[in-house]
Every structure is written in structure tokens, then in C-alpha cells.
Amino acid sequence: MEHTISIKSQAERKVTDTKSLPFGKIPTEHMFIAEYKNGEWQNAQVVPFHDLTLSPLALCLHYGQTVFEGMKAFVMEDGRLNIFRMDKHYDRFTKSLQRMCMPLVPQRLFKDAIHQLVKLDSDWVPREADGSLYIRPFMIATEDRIGVKVSDEYLFMVVCSPAFQYYTKPLKVKVETTYVRAADGGTGNAKCGGNYGGAFYPTQLAREAGYDQVLWTDSVHNEFIEESGTMNAMFFIDNVLVTPQLSGTILDGVTRDSLLTIANAKGITVEERQISYNELIDAFEAGKRVEAFGAGTAAVVAPIEIIAIGHKEYKCYIEPDAMMYQLQKELLNIRKGIIADTNKWNYII
Ligand code: COI
């Protein structure tokens, strides 16, 4: 079914300088919203950003039926706007919705909603080299009924916020062997709100101990690396790119996939496989050059400087000639249209 998106524009709020503000603090002027009722999507609109009215009984407030995505738009060298890898984000959104028993959004509606919104708020896409527009599509269950059930009503929304560097300095991370982020058969590979809420407590403990993030390990052995905070974990060990293989417990990161594709094309040896913290200890103790970094839409490539394993801290290689920066630069150059987009990742408005 075709959906017409109505656009109610209002030029009241001027573009704000958001560079000094925390990530995601200031929304752009408009947002997209559509309602799911009686088995179909309706009232698809781009409207001025506003607060929602929800019943306190709304199911999302009680049982966590929420799913989101994180995408980015860039101003290219030639001034055009580029939304990066819409199709891959759509596919992951769809898989997350299926896992959470939520209605799918037609691909056309997803893309049109984001296209119209980014076009209308195009002045908010930062022009600076380290800037982008963070795009947050999400869905929440809105049926007002406190009984535990799959909701019959939903809101699908998209909001945006100008974004700059997510982490301003290299990270200190702690290998987490007590708490787990996800277990086999759970929701670890779905981008649902509960995965993030559940990570807060162990992350807070790590912060109190002087670290920025945790490096999650698997739920069975508490030994194999999973993700780092809200990012995929990647390593260069003696110039071989190693990252945990996709499984039900880690997110199929779009940045992860992009960096692996770029690395393969550059002839870098790539290994998607289990990696235990013991292998990292052996590499550090053998004097190998170990680069470690998180990869994610918001963070892009976040260098890790220190990995704490047990009571010992290991120092990773973060000098300017590190391989991770080459991948980061190539990714940015593709997004900005400085080098050819051979994989057709750019959606140009
Ligand atoms: C992203 O990188 O887009 C994320 O979703 C991580 C975080 C901002 C929640």
C-alpha cells in the first residue's frame, strides 16, 4: 500500500550550534511520525518536533516493546546530502521488529520518511569535517493496556540531531566477566531498548573503577569478546583485522560491515572469529602490535587505548599510523563523495 506523507513545516527554531553539547541533546526542527492502528500504518506526517502524549498504560512503558536504529546523513564535498546505507539499516530494523513481535514498516515508507525529514531539516546537517546528522528511526508500542501482551498499536517515528565526535579521546575499557550483555537465544542481535538499559549498571560500575566502557564477554565462558559498550569490537593484531563473528548475541553493525568491506578491498587480512581475552593477553605479552577499537554509527571508529583484563592493564597502539585510522578515513571519504562509492552505500538526496 502506498503511503502519502503530509508535511507541516514551521520555520521557528533556528539551527543551533550544537558542537559543544552532549551527543543527541538538541533535536532538529521537525520529526516524522506515523501510527499503526487496525492493522495498518496511517497518518504519516513530517511535523514540527514536539512532545508525545501517551497513556500511562502504554505497553512500551512497561514491557520494553521498543526498537530503534541509528543512521547518519552527511554533506558531501559537492554540497549534496548523503544518507549512508539506508538499505542495510532498514534490513536490521526489520529483523529487530520481527524479534520483538512488532509490525514491519514498508521499505518505501521508511526511506520516504527519512528522505523528507532530512531534506526539510537539511540546514541542520553540520558542514564541518567531523560533523553529520544523526538519524534515529524508532518504534514504540502504544496500546493502553497494562496486561502483558503484544501491543496492537504503535508509533513509528524519526528524529534527528546534529552529531560530532561521540568520544573525544581514546577509551579505557574493562573486560567484563561478571555481567553479560546477551546470551544465545536472547535479543542481543536486535536493536531493542532493553539491551541498552540492561547494560547501564555494569557500565556504571566500570566508570566508577575509572573506565569509559566495558568489553563484553560471552555468557557461557565469560572469555570470548562480544562488543564494546554500544559498539562492535575490532582489533588489529600484527596488522590482521580480527573481530567476533556475527552471532545471535552481537549486533550486525553497519559500521562494522563497512569497515570489513573496506579492509577486504584493501587486501588486509580479515578474520571474523571468536577471540578470547587470553588471546589478547598472549598478543600483548608477546610484544605484538595490538590496535583495538569500537565501531558504531554514532562512534564511527573509537580508538581504545587501555584494556583492563583482571587486575592488569594493557596498552594498545593508537599512534597516528595505526591501521584503524586508514579504515576510518576511507569510510569518511566514501561518505563525503571524495572517493568512489563502489558498493553503492550512499543515498543521495
Ligand atoms: C549507534 O551507534 O547508532 C547506536 O545506536 C549506539 C548508541 C548511540 C545508542
Side-chain angles (χ1 to χ4, degrees):
M1 185 179 150
E2 281 294 307
H3 293 271
T4 310
I5 299 178
S6 81
I7 298 180
K8 295 192 190 105
S9 167
Q10 158 194 280
E12 277 190 352
R13 215 151 43 80
K14 289 276 163 286
V15 176
T16 322
D17 175 15
T18 55
K19 198 158 186 174
S20 54
L21 297 173
F23 172 85
K25 193 74 189 147
I26 300 290
T28 60
E29 205 176 328
H30 296 91
M31 66 187 206
F32 170 86
I33 185 162
E35 297 163 16
Y36 185 86
K37 265 192 183 149
N38 304 320
E40 61 183 15
W41 287 107
Q42 43 197 283
N43 295 332
Q45 310 176 61
V46 172
V47 287
F49 186 93
H50 63 270
D51 290 344
L52 299 176
T53 305
L54 278 183
S55 163
L57 302 181
L59 282 162
C60 65
L61 301 176
H62 303 275
Y63 309 119
Q65 232 193 334
T66 72
V67 156
F68 71 94
E69 265 305 314
M71 313 169 45
K72 275 183 173 170
F74 299 84
V75 178
M76 300 173 80
E77 278 264 289
D78 62 9
R80 291 181 301 166
L81 284 181
N82 164 28
I83 304 174
F84 191 66
R85 301 202 69 176
M86 279 240 263
D87 292 321
K88 179 130 179 95
H89 283 285
Y90 174 77
D91 290 346
R92 189 173 65 180
F93 191 53
T94 298
K95 286 191 187 123
S96 302
L97 293 173
Q98 282 166 332
R99 180 63 179 81
M100 297 303 289
C101 277
M102 296 165 84
L104 304 191
V105 175
Q107 187 163 20
R108 188 65 194 269
L109 178 61
F110 181 87
K111 287 174 100 164
D112 283 354
I114 295 168
H115 180 125
Q116 298 297 347
L117 179 60
V118 172
K119 195 168 149 199
L120 192 62
D121 283 350
S122 59
D123 286 350
W124 289 79
V125 189
R127 268 59 188 165
E128 293 92 330
D130 63 341
S132 59
L133 187 73
Y134 187 78
I135 305 167
R136 171 56 61 87
F138 66 103
M139 193 187 294
I140 57 173
T142 52
E143 186 183 338
D144 52 346
R145 179 166 147 179
I146 211 164
V148 181
K149 73 179 282 281
V150 172
S151 180
D152 284 331
E153 293 173 9
Y154 298 85
L155 288 178
F156 166 48
M157 303 179 59
V158 186
V159 293
C160 301
S161 177
F164 296 90
Q165 264 185 308
Y166 193 77
Y167 294 113
T168 49
K169 58 180 180 44
L171 302 175
K172 289 176 75 173
V173 303
K174 168 185 173 287
V175 169
E176 177 58 64
T177 52
T178 304
Y179 298 96
V180 293
R181 177 185 169 274
D184 280 339
T187 57
N189 61 350
K191 214 162 164 58
C192 55
N195 287 346
Y196 295 78
F200 287 157
Y201 182 66
T203 308
Q204 189 173 299
L205 294 182
R207 293 229 167 97
E208 284 165 13
Y211 299 98
D212 301 297
Q213 278 294 348
V214 293
L215 199 47
W216 298 107
T217 53
D218 71 289
S219 65
V220 179
H221 306 96
N222 293 124
E223 180 188 342
F224 296 100
I225 305 295
E226 296 257 299
E227 296 190 357
S228 179
T230 59
M231 306 168 289
N232 291 108
M234 303 184 106
F235 303 89
F236 271 109
I237 303 178
D238 270 353
N239 296 339
V240 174
L241 181 53
V242 185
T243 193
Q245 77 280 13
L246 292 182
S247 66
T249 59
I250 69 169
L251 210 63
D252 179 2
V254 177
T255 307
R256 173 190 182 278
D257 181 77
S258 307
L259 296 176
L260 292 180
T261 306
I262 291 170
N264 273 315
K266 283 171 120 25
I268 293 169
T269 307
V270 172
E271 295 178 1
E272 291 181 70
R273 60 168 173 82
Q274 281 194 322
I275 173 163
S276 76
Y277 65 72
N278 287 313
E279 180 181 341
L280 291 178
I281 293 175
D282 289 347
F284 285 117
E285 291 190 344
K288 292 186 178 173
R289 173 164 143 175
V290 179
E291 295 178 29
F293 57 103
T297 297
V300 194
V301 166
I304 295 172
E305 185 178 14
I306 300 284
I307 302 181
I309 309 177
H311 293 296
K312 210 159 167 199
E313 288 190 349
Y314 296 90
K315 199 158 171 28
C316 306
Y317 189 82
I318 54 163
E319 296 307 312
D321 65 340
M323 306 269 289
M324 61 186 158
Y325 300 126
Q326 288 181 32
L327 300 185
Q328 179 186 35
K329 181 144 193 262
E330 185 131 344
L331 178 61
L332 184 67
N333 284 345
I334 295 170
R335 291 163 156 180
K336 293 265 182 187
I338 295 168
I339 58 175
D341 172 27
T342 49
N343 298 292
K344 302 205 178 344
W345 287 339
N346 294 339
Y347 173 95
I348 316 271
I349 294 190

